[in-house]
Amino acid sequence: MPLALLALAIGAFGIGTTEFVIMGLLPQVGSDLGVSIPTAGYLVTGYALGVMIGAPIMTALGTRISRKNMLMLLMGLFVLGNAVSALAPTFAVMLIGRVVASLAHGAFFGIGSVVAAELVAPQKKAAAISLMFTGLTVANVVGVPLGTFVGHTAGWRATFLVVAALGVVGLVGVAKLVPDVPRPEGVRLRHEIAAFKNVQVVLAMTMTVLGFGGVFAAITYIAPILTDVGGFAESSVPWLMAVFGTGMMVGNLVGGHFADRNLMPMLYTALAGLAVVLGLFTFLASDKTVSVAAVFLIGALGFATVPPLQKHVLDHAHGAPTLASAANIGAFNLGNALAAWLGGMVISAGFGYTAPNAVGALLAASALLPAVLSHRLQRKDDHANATRPSAEPDLHSTSRTAVDPVRL
């Protein structure tokens, strides 16, 4: 695998840290800024919506510059947003900082996925994408627990200053290691937009919204679930977030491995398993052993869907994958925002801190419907292509090409 994938993974590490570290700090942030935990949850929702909106906008704005330069600009925006969050005097300013940082997220992973896939052979695309996303998963094993620990000991503001510094490291890594490959000739924004006419692209994004929404319904409120219901000490949250991150890392690598071989069966298994685990976690969160296992499996099963879904979009966004790839990252975060909002609603309605797990189970289960439809359409297309008679050779065309090879 090319060394440039390391640079993309470094950037993903910083982005993954800021996205997920807030989960373990919601009580502290809410208390310090004078808001309730459900209100503090808007820091998750706002970030997710920023990714969803920013992904296509930032990608469209970057259509006229090289992908490397755009990746560098996005990391600069990420650093700025986290610095604002760290220094925020009020909840509103904190939310603005989160949104600013989020604008870089979707476009970075979207453009990065395209770059990663182009750097390797076709049969290794999903594996290359999963290696880039390994930075995101490692962030949840190392960056998020460390950031949570720093937040509990030195204050949550120190955490976001550290995250801003990680963004600087990611910026330098992209500048030094990613090749400055020009954009493909002849691909314009209208070609990128045309990719959304493909029903398979739309179905993949629907699976993304619903499937990964199931993960965030639980993980957004994981700190109060583990402490208030599970009986864990507040000091245990960092290592429990490391368990979640370890699950993400394992699921990401497994998903990348099998997506290049059996993409749809991989999605079926991950989505169904996620729905079952979240359903059980709803009723068994008071058992510490079950809670630890559930946290690991939510990460593993949730992230096992990421490489297959991203590859599915790239495969069907014929010739113009950048915007569709970025929009699918936005779809992940639309699911995050929807799940965080629904989770906050059921908590505020008095159903308790475990109620978001039930919401997540329903979201993950509903993702199986577009998965089945997508699989049937793919099998129908494959059958049509296999039975279509091959065209007769055009001798006139062959003769013309032989005397005019420059036109090939």
Side-chain angles (χ1 to χ4, degrees):
M1 290 292 179
L3 189 60
L5 292 177
L6 173 62
L8 297 174
I10 292 171
F13 179 86
I15 292 174
T17 300
T18 202
E19 180 181 18
F20 290 99
V21 75
I22 190 68
M23 315 303 182
L25 299 176
L26 278 184
Q28 287 73 25
V29 173
S31 176
D32 190 32
L33 297 180
V35 298
S36 66
I37 288 179
T39 300
Y42 286 122
L43 295 173
V44 178
T45 304
Y47 185 95
L49 289 175
V51 175
M52 182 189 68
I53 296 169
I57 292 176
M58 298 304 296
T59 303
L61 291 175
T63 54
R64 296 187 178 276
I65 65 175
S66 73
R67 287 169 178 158
K68 175 177 179 176
N69 288 338
M70 190 60 193
L71 290 171
M72 293 172 62
L73 287 172
L74 292 169
M75 288 308 300
L77 190 63
F78 171 81
V79 172
L80 174 63
N82 281 286
V84 170
S85 295
L87 303 175
T90 65
F91 178 78
V93 176
M94 172 73 170
L95 184 58
I96 291 171
R98 292 283 292 170
V99 172
V100 170
S102 73
L103 294 176
H105 183 129
F108 183 89
F109 280 109
I111 296 171
S113 293
V114 175
V115 171
E118 289 180 347
L119 290 173
V120 298
Q123 68 273 19
K124 295 183 178 180
K125 284 185 178 182
I129 294 169
S130 73
L131 283 178
M132 182 193 72
F133 276 93
T134 296
L136 179 63
T137 58
V138 170
N140 284 272
V141 179
V142 179
V144 171
L146 180 60
T148 306
F149 174 77
V150 170
H152 282 235
T153 55
W156 60 268
R157 297 181 186 275
T159 296
F160 285 96
L161 287 174
V162 171
V163 170
L166 286 173
V168 174
V169 175
L171 174 59
V172 173
V174 171
K176 296 291 185 182
L177 299 177
V178 174
D180 194 6
V181 179
R183 291 183 56 80
E185 292 293 332
V187 177
R188 300 290 182 266
L189 182 58
R190 66 178 182 275
H191 301 135
E192 299 278 0
I193 295 174
F196 295 98
K197 295 179 180 178
N198 190 311
V199 67
Q200 288 285 22
V201 173
V202 175
L203 287 172
M205 291 183 180
T206 304
M207 286 184 270
T208 297
V209 171
L210 297 173
F212 214 70
V215 175
F216 258 68
I219 295 303
T220 297
Y221 302 99
I222 196 63
I225 290 173
L226 293 173
T227 56
D228 288 33
V229 180
F232 288 95
E234 197 173 84
S235 58
S236 300
V237 174
W239 71 261
L240 287 165
M241 292 303 291
V243 171
F244 173 69
T246 303
M248 289 175 65
M249 183 169 62
V250 172
N252 177 60
L253 293 174
V254 171
H257 175 75
F258 284 101
D260 281 323
R261 301 182 180 186
N262 301 289
L263 191 148
M264 293 310 300
M266 180 72 248
L267 283 176
Y268 286 151
T269 301
L271 291 171
L274 181 61
V276 170
V277 169
L278 286 167
L280 292 174
F281 195 31
T282 304
F283 302 101
L284 301 175
S286 58
D287 186 297
K288 290 186 176 181
T289 302
V290 171
S291 292
V292 173
V295 167
F296 174 85
L297 289 173
I298 290 169
L301 293 168
F303 244 74
T305 67
V306 175
L309 287 171
Q310 199 69 3
K311 181 178 183 293
H312 197 52
V313 169
L314 293 178
D315 286 345
H316 291 282
H318 304 294
T322 308
L323 184 59
S325 177
N328 195 49
I329 299 299
F332 278 107
N333 286 271
L334 174 58
N336 299 352
L338 175 66
W341 175 64
L342 291 174
M345 283 187 63
V346 293
I347 292 174
S348 297
F351 290 102
Y353 285 127
T354 60
N357 296 332
V359 172
L362 292 174
L363 289 172
S366 64
L368 288 168
L369 180 60
V372 171
L373 180 57
S374 175
H375 196 190
R376 287 183 176 180
L377 289 175
Q378 185 64 59
R379 292 177 65 182
K380 182 178 179 180
D381 289 343
D382 291 344
H383 178 72
N385 291 334
T387 57
R388 182 181 296 122
S390 58
E392 292 296 326
D394 186 343
L395 298 177
H396 176 69
S397 175
T398 304
S399 174
R400 183 180 61 220
T401 350
V403 297
D404 190 12
V406 177
R407 299 183 61 183
L408 290 178

Short mmCIF file of all heavy atoms in Angstrom, two decimals, residues 24 27-28 148 152 222-241 285-286 288 291-292:
data_model
loop_
_atom_site.label_atom_id
_atom_site.label_comp_id
_atom_site.label_asym_id
_atom_site.label_seq_id
_atom_site.Cartn_x
_atom_site.Cartn_y
_atom_site.Cartn_z
N GLY A 24 -17.79 11.41 25.40
CA GLY A 24 -17.40 11.17 26.78
C GLY A 24 -17.29 12.44 27.61
O GLY A 24 -17.01 12.37 28.81
N PRO A 27 -21.36 15.50 29.74
CA PRO A 27 -21.73 16.02 31.07
C PRO A 27 -20.87 17.20 31.51
O PRO A 27 -21.39 18.17 32.07
CB PRO A 27 -21.54 14.80 31.99
CG PRO A 27 -21.67 13.62 31.08
CD PRO A 27 -21.06 14.05 29.78
N GLN A 28 -19.55 17.13 31.27
CA GLN A 28 -18.66 18.21 31.68
C GLN A 28 -18.93 19.49 30.89
O GLN A 28 -18.99 20.58 31.45
CB GLN A 28 -17.19 17.79 31.50
CG GLN A 28 -16.68 16.78 32.52
CD GLN A 28 -17.25 15.39 32.26
OE1 GLN A 28 -17.62 15.05 31.14
NE2 GLN A 28 -17.32 14.59 33.31
N THR A 148 -10.59 12.10 26.29
CA THR A 148 -11.54 12.03 27.40
C THR A 148 -10.83 12.13 28.73
O THR A 148 -11.28 12.83 29.66
CB THR A 148 -12.35 10.71 27.33
OG1 THR A 148 -12.95 10.59 26.04
CG2 THR A 148 -13.42 10.68 28.39
N HIS A 152 -11.26 15.06 31.55
CA HIS A 152 -11.67 14.79 32.93
C HIS A 152 -10.64 15.30 33.93
O HIS A 152 -10.98 15.50 35.10
CB HIS A 152 -11.89 13.29 33.12
CG HIS A 152 -13.18 12.80 32.56
ND1 HIS A 152 -14.12 12.11 33.31
CD2 HIS A 152 -13.71 12.90 31.33
CE1 HIS A 152 -15.16 11.81 32.55
NE2 HIS A 152 -14.93 12.26 31.34
N ILE A 222 -23.55 7.57 25.41
CA ILE A 222 -22.92 6.41 26.04
C ILE A 222 -22.41 6.72 27.44
O ILE A 222 -22.43 5.85 28.32
CB ILE A 222 -21.78 5.86 25.15
CG1 ILE A 222 -21.38 4.45 25.59
CG2 ILE A 222 -20.58 6.80 25.13
CD1 ILE A 222 -22.48 3.43 25.44
N ALA A 223 -21.95 7.96 27.69
CA ALA A 223 -21.44 8.29 29.02
C ALA A 223 -22.52 8.16 30.09
O ALA A 223 -22.32 7.45 31.10
CB ALA A 223 -20.82 9.69 29.03
N PRO A 224 -23.70 8.80 29.94
CA PRO A 224 -24.73 8.60 30.97
C PRO A 224 -25.29 7.18 31.00
O PRO A 224 -25.71 6.69 32.05
CB PRO A 224 -25.82 9.62 30.59
CG PRO A 224 -25.58 9.96 29.17
CD PRO A 224 -24.10 9.84 28.97
N ILE A 225 -25.31 6.48 29.85
CA ILE A 225 -25.78 5.09 29.85
C ILE A 225 -24.87 4.24 30.74
O ILE A 225 -25.34 3.45 31.57
CB ILE A 225 -25.81 4.51 28.42
CG1 ILE A 225 -26.92 5.16 27.59
CG2 ILE A 225 -26.03 2.99 28.46
CD1 ILE A 225 -26.90 4.77 26.13
N LEU A 226 -23.57 4.41 30.59
CA LEU A 226 -22.62 3.58 31.32
C LEU A 226 -22.53 3.96 32.80
O LEU A 226 -22.37 3.09 33.66
CB LEU A 226 -21.24 3.68 30.68
CG LEU A 226 -21.12 3.07 29.27
CD1 LEU A 226 -19.76 3.39 28.67
CD2 LEU A 226 -21.36 1.57 29.31
N THR A 227 -22.63 5.25 33.11
CA THR A 227 -22.48 5.68 34.50
C THR A 227 -23.79 5.60 35.28
O THR A 227 -23.85 5.05 36.37
CB THR A 227 -21.91 7.11 34.56
OG1 THR A 227 -22.75 7.99 33.80
CG2 THR A 227 -20.50 7.16 33.99
N ASP A 228 -24.88 6.14 34.71
CA ASP A 228 -26.15 6.19 35.43
C ASP A 228 -26.89 4.86 35.44
O ASP A 228 -27.59 4.53 36.40
CB ASP A 228 -27.07 7.26 34.83
CG ASP A 228 -26.59 8.67 35.13
OD1 ASP A 228 -25.36 8.87 35.22
OD2 ASP A 228 -27.44 9.57 35.26
N VAL A 229 -26.76 4.10 34.34
CA VAL A 229 -27.46 2.82 34.25
C VAL A 229 -26.52 1.65 34.53
O VAL A 229 -26.85 0.74 35.29
CB VAL A 229 -28.10 2.65 32.85
CG1 VAL A 229 -28.84 1.32 32.75
CG2 VAL A 229 -29.06 3.80 32.56
N GLY A 230 -25.35 1.66 33.92
CA GLY A 230 -24.42 0.55 34.06
C GLY A 230 -23.66 0.52 35.37
O GLY A 230 -23.08 -0.51 35.73
N GLY A 231 -23.65 1.65 36.09
CA GLY A 231 -22.97 1.69 37.38
C GLY A 231 -21.47 1.86 37.31
O GLY A 231 -20.77 1.70 38.32
N PHE A 232 -20.94 2.21 36.14
CA PHE A 232 -19.51 2.45 36.01
C PHE A 232 -19.15 3.81 36.62
O PHE A 232 -19.96 4.75 36.60
CB PHE A 232 -19.09 2.44 34.54
CG PHE A 232 -19.09 1.07 33.91
CD1 PHE A 232 -20.19 0.61 33.21
CD2 PHE A 232 -17.97 0.25 34.02
CE1 PHE A 232 -20.20 -0.64 32.62
CE2 PHE A 232 -17.97 -1.02 33.44
CZ PHE A 232 -19.09 -1.46 32.73
N ALA A 233 -17.94 3.89 37.15
CA ALA A 233 -17.44 5.17 37.64
C ALA A 233 -17.15 6.08 36.46
O ALA A 233 -16.86 5.61 35.35
CB ALA A 233 -16.18 4.97 38.47
N GLU A 234 -17.23 7.38 36.68
CA GLU A 234 -16.95 8.34 35.61
C GLU A 234 -15.55 8.16 35.05
O GLU A 234 -15.30 8.37 33.87
CB GLU A 234 -17.14 9.76 36.14
CG GLU A 234 -17.27 10.81 35.06
CD GLU A 234 -17.61 12.18 35.63
OE1 GLU A 234 -16.67 12.88 36.05
OE2 GLU A 234 -18.80 12.53 35.66
N SER A 235 -14.62 7.73 35.90
CA SER A 235 -13.24 7.53 35.47
C SER A 235 -13.09 6.34 34.53
O SER A 235 -12.05 6.17 33.89
CB SER A 235 -12.34 7.32 36.70
OG SER A 235 -12.78 6.21 37.47
N SER A 236 -14.13 5.50 34.44
CA SER A 236 -14.07 4.33 33.55
C SER A 236 -14.43 4.67 32.11
O SER A 236 -14.18 3.87 31.20
CB SER A 236 -15.04 3.24 34.04
OG SER A 236 -14.70 2.81 35.33
N VAL A 237 -15.03 5.84 31.89
CA VAL A 237 -15.50 6.19 30.55
C VAL A 237 -14.38 6.19 29.52
O VAL A 237 -14.57 5.68 28.40
CB VAL A 237 -16.24 7.55 30.57
CG1 VAL A 237 -16.62 7.99 29.16
CG2 VAL A 237 -17.51 7.44 31.42
N PRO A 238 -13.16 6.74 29.83
CA PRO A 238 -12.10 6.72 28.81
C PRO A 238 -11.76 5.33 28.31
O PRO A 238 -11.65 5.10 27.10
CB PRO A 238 -10.92 7.37 29.53
CG PRO A 238 -11.54 8.29 30.54
CD PRO A 238 -12.76 7.54 31.01
N TRP A 239 -11.60 4.35 29.22
CA TRP A 239 -11.20 3.03 28.73
C TRP A 239 -12.37 2.31 28.05
O TRP A 239 -12.17 1.50 27.14
CB TRP A 239 -10.59 2.17 29.83
CG TRP A 239 -11.48 1.64 30.91
CD1 TRP A 239 -11.65 2.15 32.16
CD2 TRP A 239 -12.32 0.46 30.86
NE1 TRP A 239 -12.54 1.39 32.89
CE2 TRP A 239 -12.95 0.34 32.13
CE3 TRP A 239 -12.58 -0.50 29.88
CZ2 TRP A 239 -13.83 -0.69 32.43
CZ3 TRP A 239 -13.46 -1.52 30.17
CH2 TRP A 239 -14.08 -1.62 31.43
N LEU A 240 -13.59 2.65 28.43
CA LEU A 240 -14.74 2.09 27.73
C LEU A 240 -14.85 2.66 26.32
O LEU A 240 -15.25 1.95 25.39
CB LEU A 240 -16.02 2.36 28.52
CG LEU A 240 -16.17 1.51 29.79
CD1 LEU A 240 -17.26 2.08 30.70
CD2 LEU A 240 -16.47 0.06 29.44
N MET A 241 -14.48 3.93 26.14
CA MET A 241 -14.43 4.50 24.80
C MET A 241 -13.33 3.84 23.98
O MET A 241 -13.44 3.70 22.76
CB MET A 241 -14.21 6.01 24.86
CG MET A 241 -15.39 6.79 25.43
SD MET A 241 -16.94 6.52 24.53
CE MET A 241 -16.59 7.35 22.98
N ALA A 285 -28.38 -3.08 29.85
CA ALA A 285 -27.30 -2.11 30.08
C ALA A 285 -26.86 -2.05 31.54
O ALA A 285 -25.77 -1.55 31.85
CB ALA A 285 -27.73 -0.72 29.62
N SER A 286 -27.67 -2.54 32.46
CA SER A 286 -27.30 -2.51 33.87
C SER A 286 -26.26 -3.58 34.21
O SER A 286 -25.65 -3.53 35.29
CB SER A 286 -28.54 -2.71 34.75
OG SER A 286 -29.18 -3.94 34.45
N LYS A 288 -22.69 -4.98 33.74
CA LYS A 288 -21.42 -4.41 33.29
C LYS A 288 -20.75 -5.25 32.21
O LYS A 288 -20.18 -4.70 31.25
CB LYS A 288 -20.47 -4.24 34.48
CG LYS A 288 -20.90 -3.14 35.46
CD LYS A 288 -19.87 -2.92 36.54
CE LYS A 288 -20.28 -1.76 37.44
NZ LYS A 288 -19.28 -1.50 38.50
N SER A 291 -22.53 -4.67 29.02
CA SER A 291 -22.26 -3.32 28.53
C SER A 291 -20.93 -3.24 27.80
O SER A 291 -20.84 -2.64 26.72
CB SER A 291 -22.28 -2.32 29.69
OG SER A 291 -23.57 -2.19 30.23
N VAL A 292 -19.90 -3.84 28.36
CA VAL A 292 -18.58 -3.81 27.72
C VAL A 292 -18.64 -4.54 26.37
O VAL A 292 -18.13 -4.04 25.36
CB VAL A 292 -17.51 -4.46 28.63
CG1 VAL A 292 -16.18 -4.57 27.89
CG2 VAL A 292 -17.33 -3.64 29.90
#
